[in-house]
Amino acid sequence: MTTNLTAPMSKQLLFGLLTITIGVELLLYLSGYSQLAGTIYDAIMVSSFFIGLKLHRRLSSGTRKTKLQHIRQFIGAFLLFILGSTIINIYSSYAFQDFSNDYDQYVETYTEVVSDDSDIVESNEPSEPVDKMWEVIDEIDTVGYDIYTDILAGLEEVWRLAYIILILFVFKNIFPKRWEKGRRDIFVLIAIFVTSVLFGIDHTLSTVDSWPYEIGAIVTFANMGFLFGLILLWTRNLWVTVLVHSIYDILATLSWYYFEFIVEITAMILLPIYLILVVVEKNQKTSNIVVSEDIAN
């Protein structure tokens, strides 16, 4: 895998990797002060999809999987992330109470529907259809924008893979002897660790909060990032990791607004489906082995 990741690349691809790593870091920081920087950041994240098409080929092992295997791999990775993120959230809620309390307050305030007594329409008062329509449109606009950013968040995994490739290139040139001996797993793990720390820091770049909150956010999101990195390494499939990231964030957003336990309910639905797919795939492999033996005989 490391040989494919560090294969020679064109100057255009190298420029693209630098843009979606270092360039995005700068824009993410400036987005806290400039709306234009935030817009350019979104544009680069969208364009990173096309860079991901090239990087995915470097990451994949080359073996073709069936649609059933892809679905099973996605569900397995998704369930793994739900389990891991739950453990991380429980840990952070105890280890970083300032962050946990402030974050819960932020979610509550952000998703709060204004329902003051002054806004309540009495039953004998005529309702205003136009006002109601704009309230619905405003809610759709708010939730829709959050889901849009959740979709873009999945493309952060292209950012992660780009960083991993650049870091491996650095290790390859700094430690050529160790690299040639084939002891490269430690380099991959270091690259995933570095990207995880950057992932945690990036979630605090555009905001200014107290140090207890900042540290709690960095550690929490860095752990999340490390989990995404392990999923990327395990599946060797960039788009599976992108989907896991995006769909988890979308479900988290829906849990803010509508269904508090939608993530857990989704996991309960997917678990038996995953087990069924494992059994089906195992039976298919057994059948193929039997057929092969019959042909050989």
Side-chain angles (χ1 to χ4, degrees):
M1 183 182 70
T2 53
T3 302
N4 292 337
L5 290 178
T6 56
M9 67 177 68
S10 64
K11 292 181 179 179
Q12 293 84 353
L13 181 57
L14 177 60
F15 176 77
L17 297 188
L18 293 174
T19 300
I20 64 174
T21 51
I22 298 174
V24 161
E25 300 285 348
L26 180 60
L27 287 170
L28 191 60
Y29 174 74
L30 293 176
S31 64
Y33 307 95
S34 168
Q35 186 175 357
L36 176 61
T39 303
I40 297 174
Y41 168 83
D42 288 346
I44 291 179
M45 292 305 295
V46 171
S47 64
S48 69
F49 170 81
F50 300 98
I51 297 176
L53 292 175
K54 295 186 176 182
L55 299 185
H56 173 70
R57 291 194 291 268
R58 290 172 173 254
L59 181 66
S60 61
S61 58
T63 57
R64 290 188 176 183
K65 290 184 173 65
T66 63
K67 291 182 179 180
L68 191 67
Q69 288 174 323
H70 280 301
I71 294 173
R72 178 190 58 77
Q73 190 179 56
F74 164 74
I75 295 177
F78 190 75
L79 290 173
L80 176 64
F81 185 79
I82 290 178
L83 176 61
S85 62
T86 300
I87 295 173
I88 291 169
N89 287 330
I90 293 174
Y91 165 75
S92 295
S93 65
Y94 285 99
F96 307 102
Q97 292 186 1
D98 289 334
F99 164 72
S100 181
N101 294 336
D102 289 350
Y103 187 76
D104 290 342
Q105 182 62 41
Y106 163 76
V107 172
E108 184 178 348
T109 303
Y110 185 77
T111 59
E112 187 179 43
V113 178
V114 178
S115 57
D116 295 335
D117 293 338
S118 58
D119 294 331
I120 298 177
V121 179
E122 299 293 339
S123 59
N124 59 346
E125 293 182 3
S127 60
E128 296 290 341
V130 175
D131 291 342
K132 292 294 182 183
M133 179 188 71
W134 284 113
E135 287 178 9
V136 172
I137 292 176
D138 184 60
E139 182 176 351
I140 293 174
D141 185 57
T142 301
V143 178
Y145 179 77
D146 286 345
I147 292 177
Y148 163 73
T149 58
D150 292 337
I151 294 172
L152 289 187
L155 292 172
E156 291 172 358
E157 299 312 311
V158 180
W159 165 94
R160 180 189 311 282
L161 183 55
Y163 253 128
I164 289 174
I165 290 173
L166 292 176
I167 292 171
L168 289 177
F169 264 112
V170 172
F171 283 138
K172 184 178 181 179
N173 288 278
I174 294 179
F175 306 104
K177 293 183 179 179
R178 188 177 182 87
W179 186 273
E180 291 301 326
K181 289 181 179 179
R183 301 174 182 176
R184 304 168 189 173
D185 291 346
I186 186 65
F187 296 144
V188 176
L189 291 176
I190 291 174
I192 291 176
F193 175 78
V194 171
T195 59
S196 301
V197 173
L198 290 174
F199 183 78
I201 294 173
D202 285 352
H203 279 77
T204 65
L205 282 179
S206 58
T207 59
V208 179
D209 292 288
S210 62
W211 273 110
Y213 180 91
E214 296 278 353
I215 294 174
I218 290 173
V219 173
T220 301
F221 288 112
N223 286 331
M224 295 281 195
F226 190 74
L227 190 53
F228 278 126
L230 293 179
I231 290 174
L232 183 68
L233 184 62
W234 170 51
T235 61
R236 294 195 181 184
N237 191 316
L238 174 61
W239 303 119
V240 164
T241 314
V242 168
L243 281 176
V244 170
H245 193 154
S246 292
I247 293 176
Y248 178 83
D249 282 10
I250 290 172
L251 290 177
T253 295
L254 294 177
S255 72
W256 290 4
Y257 289 103
Y258 305 114
F259 313 107
E260 184 177 356
F261 300 105
I262 190 172
V263 176
E264 292 78 7
I265 293 173
T266 302
M268 292 176 64
I269 294 173
L270 289 178
L271 181 58
I273 296 176
Y274 177 77
L275 295 176
I276 292 172
L277 290 176
V278 170
V279 173
V280 170
E281 188 175 344
K282 185 177 180 180
N283 290 336
Q284 286 181 346
K285 288 182 178 179
T286 303
S287 300
N288 292 335
I289 292 173
V290 172
V291 170
S292 299
E293 290 178 350
D294 290 341
I295 293 174
N297 294 330

